[in-house]
Amino acid sequence: MIDWLAPKYLAWLLHGFGVTLALAAAASATATWLGFGLALARDSRSAFFSGPAAVFVAAMRNTPLLVQLFFWYFGVAALLPPGAVQWLSQPHAWHWTLFDIRWPTLETLSGFVGLTVYTTAFIGEEIRAGLRGVPAAQTHAAAALGLSRFAVFRHVVLPQAVRIALPPLFGQYMNAVKNSSLTMAIGLAELSYASRQVETETFRTFQAFGIATLLYVGTIAMIEAVSMASTHRHAVAPSR
């Protein structure tokens, strides 16, 4: 017979799950905007933009995320003044009307920056592939009709690029959820960290990691469902 975890430990897991969702959502949203700019820079005719963008993509995609997280947590922190590191390592909160605004810890900031920067390189390439997937003949035809370059991009290229890039983009969002588990290595109390803490205190390995696995699987399944629905909606949109 399997013994259930006490409410205290379930609360730990749910809190870690909330941290995982918040981290993955914030990193994915930020990386999407940065990735869009990165894709435009990569396809720029100016070497001033395309060169550094290509170097950035190569560096991020060819180094492990764990190493990058260590760089942001240990490497960058070593360059900061000792007072700044101490301030970041302590909890801070500001009361604003009915809410308390909490400043993120050094672990949270490092995890967010590391995951965002890493994910940006992959999302940028997915968006770039979507932009390149639009036939050049359509842009030439739109320009021949008198549309400006911005209007061609806005009304002809971008909608089709989004349709092409949407499925792989959702794949990157799934990866962000899974990759967030690596932030436990720098002490961020996300779901994997919480499950490890529960297992250490209770010695109930199956229950701790089993619940964490179900939460991960459920989250990925929900993203997959949203991806399929979004892809279907964009696929039938032109026929309406």
Side-chain angles (χ1 to χ4, degrees):
M1 182 176 180
I2 299 177
D3 296 327
W4 293 103
L5 295 174
K8 167 187 174 181
Y9 302 114
L10 291 176
W12 287 9
L13 292 173
L14 290 177
H15 178 268
F17 182 52
V19 173
T20 292
L21 292 180
L23 176 63
S28 297
T30 307
T32 300
W33 286 103
L34 294 177
F36 182 75
L38 180 65
L40 295 180
R42 284 272 280 151
D43 279 345
S44 174
R45 297 178 181 178
S46 172
F48 180 81
F49 295 105
S50 61
V55 172
F56 172 82
V57 170
M60 294 301 104
R61 297 184 67 177
N62 292 288
T63 53
L65 175 57
L66 186 59
V67 173
Q68 296 184 32
L69 290 172
F70 285 154
F71 167 77
W72 291 107
Y73 185 66
F74 295 108
V76 174
L79 301 177
L80 298 175
V85 176
Q86 183 179 5
W87 189 88
L88 288 172
S89 301
Q90 297 175 350
H92 300 279
W94 295 272
H95 183 72
W96 183 71
T97 62
L98 301 176
F99 305 95
D100 287 333
I101 302 176
R102 298 185 180 276
W103 180 261
T105 62
L106 181 60
E107 293 81 6
T108 304
L109 285 174
S110 301
F112 168 73
V113 173
L115 185 59
T116 298
V117 171
Y118 181 81
T119 306
T120 295
F122 290 88
I123 287 182
E125 289 299 281
E126 303 295 1
I127 296 176
R128 180 171 176 245
L131 293 173
R132 288 196 163 191
V134 179
Q138 297 193 20
T139 61
H140 296 328
L145 293 175
L147 295 178
S148 65
R149 291 183 62 183
F150 177 78
V152 171
F153 181 80
R154 169 67 179 83
H155 299 289
V156 178
V157 177
L158 188 59
Q160 297 184 72
V162 169
R163 190 178 301 115
I164 296 171
L166 205 55
L169 279 179
F170 274 101
Q172 295 303 328
Y173 300 152
M174 297 178 199
N175 287 336
V177 174
K178 293 180 288 185
N179 289 337
S180 66
S181 62
L182 292 177
T183 59
M184 70 176 294
I186 60 174
L188 184 59
E190 43 72 59
L191 181 55
S192 295
Y193 184 97
S195 60
R196 178 59 179 163
Q197 290 294 99
V198 171
E199 189 272 339
T200 300
E201 285 215 4
T202 64
F203 298 102
R204 295 177 179 175
T205 305
F206 178 82
Q207 292 90 329
F209 291 107
I211 293 174
T213 299
L214 290 176
L215 291 174
Y216 278 120
V217 170
T219 303
I220 298 303
M222 290 186 64
I223 297 176
E224 179 71 24
V226 174
S227 173
M228 294 178 63
S230 300
T231 302
H232 176 72
R233 184 173 65 250
H234 282 81
V236 301
S239 61
R240 293 179 179 177

